[in-house]
Amino acid sequence: MEKFLSNPKEDSHRYSTQTQTKVKLDNGLVKLTILRPQGFLTGIKYGGMENILDLKSSETNRGYWDINWSLPGGQDRYQLIKGDDYSVVHSSNESIEVSFRSTYDPSTSGIRLPLSIDLRYILRAGVSGFYCYAIYELPPGCRAFDVTQTRMVFKLRQERFHYMAISDEKQRVMPMPEDLLQNRGKQLIVPESVLLVNPINPHLKGEVDDKYQYSMDNKDGGVHGWISSSPVVGFWVIFPSHEFRNGGPTKQNLTAHTGPACLAMFHGTHYIGEDIMAHFKDGETWRKVFGPFFVYLNSTPNISNAYNLWIDAKKQRLLEEAAWPYDFVSSPYYLTAKERGSVSGRLLVQDRFVSCSLVPAKYGYVGLSVATTEGSWQTESKGYQFWVQTDLNGNFTIKNVIPGAYGLHGWVPGFIGDYLDNARITVSSGSQKQLGNLTYVPIRDGPTVWEIGFPDRTAIGFYVPDVNPMYANKLFLNSPEKFRQYGLWDRYTDLNPKYDQVFTIGVSDPKKDWFFAHVDRRGEDNKYLPTQWEIKFNLDSVTSGIYKLRLAMASATRSDLKVHINDMDVKHLVFQVQNLGMDNTVCRHGIHGLYRLYSIDISWSLLVKGDNSLFLTQAREGDAVCGVLYDYLRLEAPASS
């Protein structure tokens, strides 16, 4: 039995006790029960609730880490992560940290996950919550394998936790898990989407529930959770940093969903596809610390004050961010502030067709990643990434950077493409790199002939339709995220039942006349047919040389895209790509996925003085949820001398 106190002179019931099968940690506020040696979190006692976790689930299926992985070319394997050895790695009056470790031996026969994994839990005196993290390590001599996803999952009491909150705007009373079953719900085209036909809560009847509707960008998340009734308790997952999550600030991750489930996502392919899978070669070594993240618990005796639990959780998130990196973590692989460095500079943009002088990269994003090519930070999945947003003048300071060699990446709203500094940046312990002024020169050949949209890497500036009333989620009816509604791909057919959209430069309005997703049209027999969008534009004159079409995509899913100028024959075909993208953004109710930028040459000989047309053809047929989400389109005249 080990005892730790918030005050050594104080006699309080804060103990670590162990049996052959369980470890119990208690700081007087929170009591954890963890299976030994596996590391499954089976009990959380807090706020008058004997166990916050779901009693209907098995003890191995309440609070657990899991992973999806495969051998090269093999099928996906899903497994729970569990330890083989338990130990107390730190115990003091202030905190206790426990370890549940599994060690992989490459010489072992059979197919096993080739990772050594150390699951850690930290309970601190006087703290209303606990910390979780894991150390993944690939020892020498391992076989090649791929990782698709890894996370920690919490399943909460079904009869208590009904109210979910993931942002100020995205909060609601949620369905019960039984509502997703056949007798109460109807599965729609997308397997995760269920129409609530006969829900336990009659107020939810007729709504669609889908876990992807509650996705969030890393940059916009940081705290999400649930509030219970009787007693009124809040359960919150807080990310004090996103450095250990893959895909950078724009990566979308699941948060919480009907279950009630609360997720801590670290690595996954959602909204990107297989491009972001982590591929490990034969004999490769690797180590990464996922976390710590904080599980925060709060409560109130007055149900009328339940919303204040969300307000309090947001404040706690700020406190956790300010305390990062933590000084109480025991692993030598988790580096403290003194062991890290910083990078500062100022980013400017040079586009002579926008301004004669350099323009500050106002509210741009700047980050350090081990990715080595422009934009590849989006699919980098093994290292750490450190991102900040610039100020009005383009200034930035990236603090608490783990030592290593990085590329300095960036992107700026209002300008296309990705910035990558030519030089690798080496950060060492305690270093403070001053980079001075940096200049991003977005790709540009000539003056703008016309443009559609605003380059911000999303399709949010285009026309997002109202949901079909048959498939509404009330949470998004009056929301800036109305794109989260189910079935919006079919609204294109409702708006354009026979003829595809035509957009006229100088007349049409992108916010009204450009559908946010270039999808198939539903035919009379419910077969999905190719669609051809037309952009009409007028040229006062045609300059000899090469015109450039900048085609920035916010997302693509199984798209066969063709671009023609003025005629639909082979001579006038200027671009085509097949089976582009696996973002699944259309069916997962997103507004962006993996950003892509194409520069397309258009010979002046294909254009005419006067009226011209550019055709964008979604050539794939029979796919309800294939599509391209455009971010921005620009036609440039030939470069002048």
Side-chain angles (χ1 to χ4, degrees):
M1 181 180 296
E2 309 213 31
K3 181 177 181 182
F4 63 103
L5 308 173
S6 58
N7 184 336
K9 298 178 182 179
E10 180 183 86
D11 187 15
S12 182
H13 300 287
R14 296 182 173 95
Y15 300 98
S16 165
T17 59
Q18 10 181 325
T19 66
Q20 286 296 107
T21 59
K22 291 182 179 178
V23 177
K24 295 187 179 182
L25 308 179
D26 186 350
N27 70 355
L29 296 171
V30 180
K31 182 177 181 179
L32 307 180
T33 302
I34 310 168
L35 294 190
R36 173 187 181 188
Q38 302 94 328
F40 297 124
L41 182 61
T42 189
I44 304 173
K45 181 178 180 180
Y46 172 80
M49 205 179 301
E50 192 65 27
N51 196 348
I52 285 174
L53 299 179
D54 183 29
L55 301 178
K56 297 180 181 179
S57 298
S58 68
E59 288 193 323
T60 62
N61 201 36
R62 297 176 184 175
Y64 56 89
W65 291 72
D66 62 14
I67 190 168
N68 291 75
W69 67 284
S70 61
L71 299 175
Q75 290 186 336
D76 179 74
R77 299 171 182 270
Y78 169 82
Q79 71 179 67
L80 299 181
I81 297 171
K82 57 183 180 179
D84 298 320
D85 297 300
Y86 161 71
S87 64
V88 177
V89 294
H90 173 79
S91 180
S92 70
N93 290 335
E94 288 73 38
S95 68
I96 185 166
E97 180 171 339
V98 292
S99 163
F100 302 84
R101 180 175 175 81
S102 63
T103 302
Y104 178 74
D105 182 356
S107 65
T108 304
S109 60
I111 297 177
R112 290 179 55 207
L113 172 66
L115 280 174
S116 295
I117 298 180
D118 191 352
L119 306 179
R120 300 282 184 97
Y121 298 92
I122 303 172
L123 192 62
R124 303 179 66 209
V127 174
S128 185
F130 57 96
Y131 297 84
C132 310
Y133 74 105
I135 305 159
Y136 287 31
E137 188 169 5
L138 188 60
C142 289
R143 67 171 74 186
F145 75 110
D146 303 323
V147 176
T148 303
Q149 175 176 286
T150 193
R151 62 186 183 174
M152 189 174 186
V153 180
F154 300 92
K155 294 183 178 178
L156 309 181
R157 292 275 290 270
Q158 299 177 21
E159 72 279 13
R160 298 287 181 88
F161 287 89
H162 305 303
Y163 192 84
M164 182 190 73
I166 54 181
S167 74
D168 286 339
E169 297 80 19
K170 293 160 75 170
Q171 305 185 17
R172 65 167 304 167
V173 174
M174 292 290 285
M176 297 290 287
E178 294 89 344
D179 295 337
L180 306 185
L181 303 178
Q182 282 188 348
N183 61 329
R184 293 190 177 274
K186 177 185 177 183
Q187 184 177 306
L188 302 173
I189 293 176
V190 180
E192 296 88 355
S193 295
V194 175
L195 179 64
L196 305 178
V197 178
N198 181 31
I200 294 170
N201 182 347
H203 295 292
L204 302 179
K205 184 176 181 179
E207 293 197 50
V208 169
D209 179 74
D210 185 325
K211 64 182 180 180
Y212 292 107
Q213 292 178 318
Y214 311 112
S215 300
M216 293 282 284
D217 287 9
N218 285 346
K219 63 181 173 62
D220 300 325
V223 56
H224 57 267
W226 294 79
I227 299 174
S228 75
S229 56
S230 184
V232 184
V233 168
F235 180 97
W236 311 100
V237 166
I238 294 178
F239 284 101
S241 169
H242 299 289
E243 67 185 40
F244 43 79
R245 306 177 83 186
N246 69 347
T250 57
K251 174 67 172 70
Q252 293 180 83
N253 276 307
L254 298 174
T255 57
H257 58 77
T258 295
C262 204
L263 310 177
M265 299 291 302
F266 300 104
H267 171 78
T269 57
H270 297 139
Y271 299 95
I272 297 289
E274 293 183 356
D275 288 346
I276 203 171
M277 286 178 63
H279 302 287
F280 296 95
K281 301 176 183 178
D282 285 327
E284 182 176 351
T285 58
W286 173 79
R287 181 190 298 119
K288 188 171 183 178
V289 178
F290 291 103
F293 67 94
F294 183 44
V295 175
Y296 180 54
L297 302 167
N298 55 9
S299 62
T300 178
N302 189 344
I303 194 169
S304 63
N305 293 331
Y307 182 77
N308 291 339
L309 299 184
W310 164 251
I311 302 298
D312 179 55
K314 290 198 300 178
K315 293 178 180 177
Q316 188 64 39
R317 172 198 171 185
L318 297 178
L319 294 174
E320 299 300 324
E321 289 176 346
W324 185 270
Y326 298 135
D327 60 5
F328 52 81
V329 180
S330 296
S331 171
Y333 306 128
Y334 176 81
L335 302 187
T336 64
K338 292 181 180 179
E339 298 173 286
R340 300 178 178 224
S342 67
V343 175
S344 299
R346 185 186 186 205
L347 185 62
L348 304 165
V349 181
Q350 179 183 324
D351 186 335
R352 69 185 191 277
F353 294 101
V354 173
S355 174
C356 295
S357 56
L358 295 175
V359 177
K362 180 172 64 174
Y363 302 135
Y365 288 84
V366 178
L368 295 170
S369 167
V370 296
T372 57
T373 57
E374 293 177 6
S376 59
W377 55 268
Q378 297 178 98
T379 55
E380 198 286 310
S381 56
K382 294 182 184 178
Y384 302 92
Q385 295 195 30
F386 306 88
W387 287 85
V388 295
Q389 198 168 10
T390 62
D391 65 14
L392 274 168
N393 296 312
N395 297 303
F396 64 89
T397 298
I398 307 174
K399 300 178 180 179
N400 299 315
V401 180
I402 293 173
Y406 298 96
L408 183 70
H409 297 259
W411 59 275
V412 184
F415 298 92
I416 60 174
D418 283 272
Y419 169 76
L420 175 62
D421 191 65
N422 291 328
R424 300 289 283 176
I425 296 172
T426 300
V427 178
S428 57
S429 177
S431 65
Q432 297 180 344
K433 288 273 186 180
Q434 301 290 338
L435 302 180
N437 289 340
L438 305 166
T439 303
Y440 172 42
V441 184
I443 188 169
R444 163 83 82 164
D445 281 12
T448 299
V449 178
W450 53 257
E451 61 185 350
I452 301 174
F454 177 80
D456 64 357
R457 307 172 81 93
T458 80
I460 195 65
F462 296 126
Y463 177 69
V464 179
D466 292 333
V467 65
N468 183 329
M470 291 177 57
Y471 301 115
N473 183 321
K474 294 176 184 176
L475 180 61
F476 302 107
L477 286 179
N478 298 295
S479 165
E481 293 190 13
K482 61 187 298 187
F483 56 83
R484 295 287 183 193
Q485 298 281 13
Y486 172 85
L488 295 187
W489 56 86
D490 270 348
R491 300 300 277 164
Y492 177 77
T493 304
D494 297 338
L495 295 166
N496 304 275
K498 293 184 178 180
Y499 305 102
D500 287 315
Q501 75 175 24
V502 177
F503 188 93
T504 303
I505 299 297
V507 176
S508 302
D509 182 351
K511 295 182 179 180
K512 297 178 181 178
D513 305 315
W514 187 276
F515 198 77
F516 80 104
H518 192 173
V519 294
D520 283 358
R521 183 197 293 108
R522 187 183 67 255
E524 293 181 357
D525 57 355
N526 284 327
K527 181 180 179 181
Y528 285 84
L529 308 172
T531 51
Q532 181 177 290
W533 289 6
E534 182 179 2
I535 302 171
K536 292 184 175 182
F537 59 99
N538 186 276
L539 295 177
D540 294 334
S541 62
V542 178
T543 304
S544 61
I546 300 297
Y547 285 72
K548 289 281 189 179
L549 175 65
R550 309 295 182 189
L551 191 60
M553 297 180 183
S555 174
T557 300
R558 297 185 301 277
S559 291
D560 297 341
L561 185 66
K562 296 182 179 181
V563 181
H564 290 81
I565 294 292
N566 284 328
D567 279 301
M568 300 301 297
D569 56 20
V570 174
K571 177 183 176 182
H572 292 81
L573 176 67
V574 295
F575 177 79
Q576 65 176 332
V577 62
Q578 291 186 315
N579 202 31
L580 178 66
M582 279 301 295
D583 300 10
N584 284 327
T585 299
V586 175
C587 71
R588 288 178 175 167
H589 328 295
I591 201 66
H592 70 87
L594 179 63
Y595 177 82
R596 298 169 173 87
L597 176 62
Y598 293 97
S599 294
I600 301 167
D601 290 348
I602 300 175
S603 172
W604 68 281
S605 63
L606 300 178
L607 299 166
V608 298
K609 180 181 178 180
D611 293 334
N612 292 265
S613 290
L614 185 146
F615 299 98
L616 301 167
T617 304
Q618 176 62 263
R620 179 178 289 259
E621 62 180 345
D623 192 335
V625 291
C626 71
V628 170
L629 275 66
Y630 301 103
D631 165 45
Y632 174 75
L633 300 90
R634 182 173 74 213
L635 182 66
E636 299 172 13
S640 61
S641 58

